[in-house]
Structure formats: C-alpha cells, structure tokens
Amino acid sequence: MKVTINDVAELAGVSIKTVSRVMNNEPSVKQATLDKVTAAISQLNYQPNAAARNLASTRSYSIGYIYDNPNAYYVIDMQKGLLEACRKHGYELLIHPTNAKSVGIVQEVIDLVQHARLAGIVLTPPFSEMPEIAEALDSIGVDFVRIISGSTPSPKLTNCVLVDDFTAAFKITNHLLELGHTDIAFLCGDEEHSSSGERLAGFKAALTKRGIQANPKYIVPGSYSFESGVKGAKTLLALAHKPTAIFACNDEIAAGALFSARLSNVEIPQQLSIVGFENSPFSRQTWPPLTTAHQPNSTIALQAAELLFRHARPGVHLANTEQQPVFIPELLVRESTAVCPR
C-alpha cells in the first residue's frame, strides 16, 4: 500500500500538521522534531503527491518552465536539470512551449502562472531577456529565476544564473588564431538572443587583441538553426577571398556550415576549419566531430531551480551578486579544426 502522511506522523510520534510543517520547511519546527520526521520520511520512503498538496494548501508545489527555442537538445537538457531539482524538493514541473514574439506573450505568461498556481518560474532566453516579463511577474508577486547571457554579476541582474558566452567565444576564437587563421568568419544566431551578441563580441575582442580587424563580409546574420548554417556558409564560400575558418554561433549552425562545405567539395578541416558552440549532440554526430564550447545546460538548469526554491517567496529577490552563479562554457577541441592552409 502507498505510504501516507498519516503513516509518517504515526512513526515519528507527531501530528499530521507537524509533518506538513516539516515538509513545508517552516522555520518554527524544533531541530529534534525535524530529525524525527525526516528519519520517518526516509525510513518509509514517503513520496508526497505534489498535485494533492497543491489542492490541500494555499502554497503551490509546482514550478514552470517556458521556452521558445528551436534547439530540441537545449530544451531537453534544461528539462532534465529542472526535473532533477523538482524531484529532490518534491515539486512538479510544468513545461510550456510558446512563441516569444506573440503580441500577447506577457499576458500569456501571467495567465499560465495564475491558472496553474505556480510557486515560481524559470525563464530562459529570449524570455529571460525581456524586462516586461520580469516586471509583470514582479507585479503579481511570483518569484522567478532568469538564465541569461552575461559575464559579470551585478545588483541590476537579480535572480539570475549567468552564462559567460563572451569569455567562451574569446577562447574559441583564440584557438583558431593560434592555428594561424586570420580570415575567420562568424555565423550569427538570432539577434534577439543576448547570447548571439555576447558571442560575437567575444569573437571580435579576440581578433582585436591580435591586432586584426573583423571583416564585415565575414559576419553573416542568421538564426540558431541548421538551415541558417547551410545558407551562411554558402554565402561565405561564394566570396572571392574565402575565410579559412568559420565560427558558428551554435552547433546546429556549425553542422549546417559543414554540410554546405561538403556540397562545395571543401575538405574539413584541411581547407576550412569550423567550430560550434554548446556541445550539443550535433557536435558529436557530424564528421569530423566539431570543436565547440561545452555548455552544461542540465547543470545550469539545476542551479536555476535550486536558486528558485531557496527564494520562492513573493517579492523576495537576490541582491547579493555573490549568489549569482556564473558558468563559463569550456573549449573542446575536436577534429573540425586544423592549422591554417595558407
């Protein structure tokens, strides 16, 4: 038979209300009582039903994750990290895909939070970079954590987990420069994502440090998709003076660029080096495997959820910059890069 809260209370020798107070992390519970109830929960392997707790309490035991990202691998990794944290804390996760460019997106988010009675919400780009969404959530007293591209913790960036795309892009570009490449192109992601701008800025900074001016013809606008990589590489390979290396803003773009190069009979990496970003399965499924930057999305999501659970009180947000985790994606060198051919 399924273990109930009554069984926990009986084993611990306390009331059901006391068990509930322990599970709700109420500060008034004495340490001795906390230890007895915790031991009983562990011994009976009690798994509280979050949906039932939502109905029986004024407090919610569900958090939300909304996204608008064409990269399915990114979304799956995010869900994995969030679910791990939810299971640990006894919460449910509501996943809601939507269109960030929708005219009524702010109201849609508010309706979702209120109708589902969410305790909080995790925002990823581009939602995490939309101040109107943060302001709306603040106005109804719902806590949130943003996963956002940035390198320096700041009091202005409250409730954030930062991903230092700038530094990672600088390192990737420096890797190509050390291989002798100076004619390096950059295939951009969606311009509404801050990560695109941060990665481009890191790319340009690495070139500038070596006294190299970025060639405007080598910077191609695009989106975070395989098709964008195919199209962008085709444009670059049609130039009279072709680049010897391509920095793609993510692995999907890089995979598309590699495919386009193959169609043009360009050998990788003998004639053209290609790098990606994020270390998604795309980077390992191509031939040759892509040099990229490992972005631990599951760990980032887990940290964001933990941050949300610690501060899931209406109107309370982080102000201490030391509590803003910063992740720097790590360079992974694979077979898609080689010494400059000329």
Side-chain angles (χ1 to χ4, degrees):
M1 294 178 63
K2 183 176 177 60
V3 177
T4 68
I5 192 171
N6 298 45
D7 299 320
V8 175
E10 184 178 351
L11 180 61
V14 299
S15 67
I16 294 173
K17 185 176 181 180
T18 298
V19 176
S20 179
R21 288 167 57 205
V22 170
M23 288 167 33
N24 290 337
N25 296 315
E26 293 185 16
S28 59
V29 180
K30 294 180 179 179
Q31 186 61 48
T33 303
L34 176 64
D35 292 340
K36 284 194 298 183
V37 174
T38 303
I41 290 173
S42 178
Q43 182 177 331
L44 296 173
N45 193 27
Y46 175 57
Q47 300 292 330
N49 185 293
R53 285 194 293 165
N54 278 344
L55 292 173
S57 171
T58 56
R59 178 178 176 182
S60 172
Y61 291 91
S62 298
I63 65 168
Y65 166 46
I66 61 172
Y67 67 88
D68 179 6
N69 193 308
N71 186 343
Y73 295 115
Y74 176 88
V75 174
I76 290 170
D77 281 346
M78 283 288 156
Q79 291 178 14
K80 181 180 178 183
L82 294 174
L83 283 169
E84 182 179 344
C86 284
R87 292 191 184 103
K88 175 182 174 183
H89 293 276
Y91 277 69
E92 295 291 333
L93 176 66
L94 176 65
I95 300 166
H96 184 74
T98 188
N99 180 7
K101 296 179 181 178
S102 171
V103 175
I105 187 58
V106 174
Q107 190 58 49
E108 181 181 342
V109 172
I110 296 304
D111 289 344
L112 171 71
V113 170
Q114 292 181 328
H115 291 167
R117 296 182 60 232
L118 298 179
I121 192 164
V122 175
L123 302 173
T124 54
F127 299 107
S128 57
E129 297 154 357
M130 298 166 65
E132 60 270 30
I133 293 221
E135 290 168 5
L137 290 171
D138 260 331
S139 71
I140 61 172
V142 174
D143 213 39
F144 59 90
V145 169
R146 293 174 285 183
I147 298 173
I148 196 167
S149 181
S151 56
T152 307
S154 165
K156 295 180 180 180
L157 289 174
T158 57
N159 304 44
C160 289
V161 174
L162 304 178
V163 181
D164 190 352
D165 292 295
F166 178 92
T167 298
F170 186 97
K171 291 180 178 180
I172 289 176
T173 308
N174 197 55
H175 165 68
L176 294 172
L177 291 166
E178 289 176 347
L179 291 172
H181 296 277
T182 53
D183 295 321
I184 308 173
F186 188 91
L187 296 181
C188 301
D190 300 85
E191 62 178 9
E192 63 264 28
H193 286 251
S194 294
S195 57
S196 301
E198 288 292 312
R199 292 170 193 180
L200 178 58
F203 166 76
K204 289 181 176 180
L207 293 179
T208 300
K209 189 171 182 180
R210 296 291 185 101
I212 301 170
Q213 182 71 31
N215 186 339
K217 292 183 179 180
Y218 286 170
I219 300 176
V220 183
S223 62
Y224 283 122
S225 68
F226 180 90
E227 294 74 19
S228 181
V230 173
K231 183 179 178 181
K234 184 178 180 180
T235 298
L236 292 169
L237 294 174
L239 295 173
H241 188 77
K242 300 174 179 58
T244 62
I246 293 176
F247 182 161
C249 215
N250 78 345
D251 294 328
E252 282 191 77
I253 300 173
L258 194 151
F259 179 76
S260 185
R262 290 244 186 258
L263 292 179
S264 299
N265 295 315
V266 175
E267 295 185 358
I268 311 296
Q270 292 85 353
Q271 294 175 284
L272 177 69
S273 289
I274 297 177
V275 300
F277 203 106
E278 289 177 12
N279 191 31
S280 74
F282 275 102
S283 68
R284 303 183 291 277
Q285 293 167 354
T286 61
W287 183 257
L290 292 168
T291 291
T292 186
H294 174 59
Q295 183 170 303
N297 290 322
S298 292
T299 303
I300 291 170
L302 174 63
Q303 187 70 60
E306 290 286 357
L307 197 57
L308 183 62
F309 291 136
R310 289 203 302 271
H311 299 271
R313 299 188 300 276
V316 179
H317 302 301
L318 289 179
N320 187 347
T321 57
E322 293 180 1
Q323 292 180 292
Q324 295 176 25
V326 181
F327 290 87
I328 303 176
E330 299 177 2
L331 173 66
L332 288 179
V333 179
R334 297 195 180 111
E335 291 89 338
S336 69
T337 52
V339 174
C340 180
R342 64 171 183 260

